[in-house]
Amino acid sequence: MTHLQAGLSPETIEKARLELNENPDILHQDIQQVRDMIITRPDIGFLRTDDAFILRFLRARKFHQTEAFRLLAQYFQYRQLNLDMFKNFKADDPGIKRALTDGFPGVLENRDHCGRKILLLFAANWDQSRNSFIDILRAILLSLEVLIEDQELQINGFILIIDWSNFSFKQASKLTPSILKLAIEGLQDSFPARFGGVHFVNQPWYIHALYTLIKPFLKDKTRKRIFLHGNNLNSLHQLIHPECLPSEFGGTLPPYDMGTWARTLLGPDYSDENEYTHTSYNAMHVKHASSNLEREASPKPMKRSQSVVEAGTLKHEDQGESENTQPLLALD
């Protein structure tokens, strides 16, 4: 084991060997091969090229050096092409802070049975007079940047669950092809994370229609890992154990507190009020904030979407459970 694998459990190191082709004996060699390719893209500013940073791209592409370099290049190119998205790219940016405070995204403290981090999106909580889609996307990308620092998550990956309960047609009309394409490019094509599944629950018929809009932008591997469960929580539980889920998804955990992740990122700067102050974002604080989470401010009461256990009105009448549970998408 090299210092680059320090802190990983023996089980995770073995998983990286078996699933990702990670070999500690040639780890530095693999990293250097990716670094040597940087000269081929003088049009891109590679702002970070240290060993630990390049390693996460190798893990995301199962140690295929060419694919890892392509992802590294796309990571920085995406940021060059969307400079406005990454200005003041920190948790106390007013737009990002509003999105985080409103629960975009939610992040469960415990991982699933495969060691993956579970992210939640309660779509109906999108107040379009308060949060732009771009700011929600920025909050998600910033959250992933913080989470991917954890080497265990570089190897085990993530799960995303989207609850579409009470998400109106009017809200859905704001999800234009251009902004959906921007999100897909940022998450599928330009970020070094392994997504083991994207799970939709309580999706109305117009969410299926949205899928036809984004399908041309999705890779085949991606399309195979979105799962549309509808109101069928049993199919969700076959893939994610109820012991890992809050009660909104038929799990045994308490209801999700929307302020949990915002308090972790913002620490003392977190406020239940709609008042935003500018303070510097210290990434090291994030590491310590999670361990002190229970000592932070009391849970924030929030309007939220109806429990998926109760919600049944958005299921399209022409869709049976077998269609709802058919896998459509996921990222690796």
Side-chain angles (χ1 to χ4, degrees):
M1 183 181 76
T2 74
H3 73 279
L4 290 169
Q5 293 179 316
L8 291 175
S9 68
E11 295 78 14
T12 303
I13 292 174
E14 180 64 6
K15 181 177 183 178
R17 185 185 70 82
L18 293 175
E19 295 185 11
L20 307 183
N21 305 307
E22 184 168 327
N23 184 347
D25 295 332
I26 58 171
L27 206 52
H28 290 279
Q29 206 174 318
D30 289 331
I31 292 169
Q32 189 57 46
Q33 287 182 9
V34 173
R35 189 182 286 115
D36 289 342
M37 297 180 195
I38 290 175
I39 196 173
T40 67
R41 292 298 305 270
D43 57 312
I44 296 175
F46 292 86
L47 302 181
R48 185 178 170 187
T49 59
D50 57 274
D51 287 359
F53 188 70
I54 291 177
L55 178 56
R56 66 186 63 171
F57 291 86
L58 280 163
R59 285 169 170 162
R61 290 298 180 261
K62 297 185 176 180
F63 278 78
H64 296 293
Q65 289 92 344
T66 303
E67 291 298 314
F69 173 71
R70 182 177 291 115
L71 180 61
L72 177 68
Q74 288 170 333
Y75 174 90
F76 285 113
Q77 186 174 44
Y78 183 78
R79 281 149 180 75
Q80 286 181 195
L81 294 174
N82 301 286
L83 288 174
D84 287 344
M85 282 181 58
F86 296 95
K87 285 181 181 176
N88 200 39
F89 189 56
K90 51 190 180 180
D92 67 354
D93 171 82
I96 293 177
K97 185 174 182 179
R98 281 194 298 272
L100 291 170
T101 304
D102 287 359
F104 294 105
V107 180
L108 294 184
E109 183 177 355
N110 296 326
R111 305 177 187 188
D112 79 346
H113 59 286
C114 295
R116 299 172 296 193
K117 201 71 169 175
I118 301 175
L119 278 63
L120 307 175
L121 293 176
F122 293 91
N125 283 343
W126 180 20
D127 181 347
Q128 294 171 348
S129 67
R130 175 174 163 84
N131 293 310
S132 70
F133 181 86
I134 297 300
D135 281 337
I136 289 175
L137 177 58
R138 293 172 74 218
I140 292 170
L141 288 171
L142 177 64
S143 298
L144 286 171
E145 289 282 3
V146 173
L147 292 166
I148 204 66
E149 292 290 332
D150 185 336
Q151 289 203 72
E152 294 273 345
L153 295 181
Q154 293 174 20
I155 295 166
N156 293 325
F158 300 86
I159 292 289
L160 175 63
I161 306 176
I162 307 177
D163 176 11
W164 297 99
S165 299
N166 299 327
F167 188 71
S168 69
F169 186 86
K170 181 179 180 181
Q171 286 173 302
S173 69
K174 303 296 184 181
L175 296 174
T176 63
S178 60
I179 63 173
L180 290 172
K181 182 174 182 288
L182 183 68
I184 291 167
E185 288 173 347
L187 295 167
Q188 172 189 257
D189 303 325
S190 308
F191 196 83
R194 305 182 67 212
F195 280 87
V198 178
H199 300 268
F200 289 9
V201 296
N202 289 319
Q203 70 277 1
W205 64 267
Y206 37 86
I207 295 303
H208 289 263
L210 277 176
Y211 173 70
T212 65
L213 293 178
I214 66 173
K215 189 174 181 180
F217 309 134
L218 301 176
K219 298 176 181 176
D220 288 340
K221 179 182 284 189
T222 299
R223 284 198 293 270
K224 292 175 182 176
R225 293 187 185 168
I226 277 190
F227 299 87
L228 303 186
H229 299 283
N231 300 314
N232 183 3
L233 292 180
N234 288 331
S235 67
L236 176 67
H237 296 163
Q238 289 173 10
L239 299 171
I240 307 174
H241 296 171
E243 295 78 11
C244 304
L245 296 171
S247 59
E248 293 93 330
F249 302 101
T252 60
L253 299 177
Y256 182 70
D257 167 20
M258 290 292 183
T260 298
W261 182 239
R263 285 193 296 273
T264 301
L265 281 186
L266 293 164
D269 198 34
Y270 174 82
S271 172
D272 289 348
E273 304 299 327
N274 296 334
E275 298 175 0
Y276 302 98
T277 58
H278 181 84
T279 61
S280 62
Y281 173 72
N282 184 345
M284 290 304 296
H285 168 74
V286 173
K287 182 177 180 181
H288 299 296
S290 58
S291 64
N292 297 327
L293 190 55
E294 294 187 359
R295 298 199 298 269
E296 296 292 337
S298 59
K300 173 179 182 287
M302 287 228 14
K303 177 183 175 183
R304 56 185 310 151
S305 56
Q306 182 180 354
S307 168
V308 299
V309 178
E310 299 174 355
T313 58
L314 295 181
K315 181 178 178 182
H316 191 258
E317 60 184 3
D318 294 331
Q319 288 180 315
E321 287 186 354
S322 60
E323 182 180 356
N324 281 340
T325 59
Q326 187 175 17
L328 292 179
L329 173 156
L331 313 172
D332 193 38

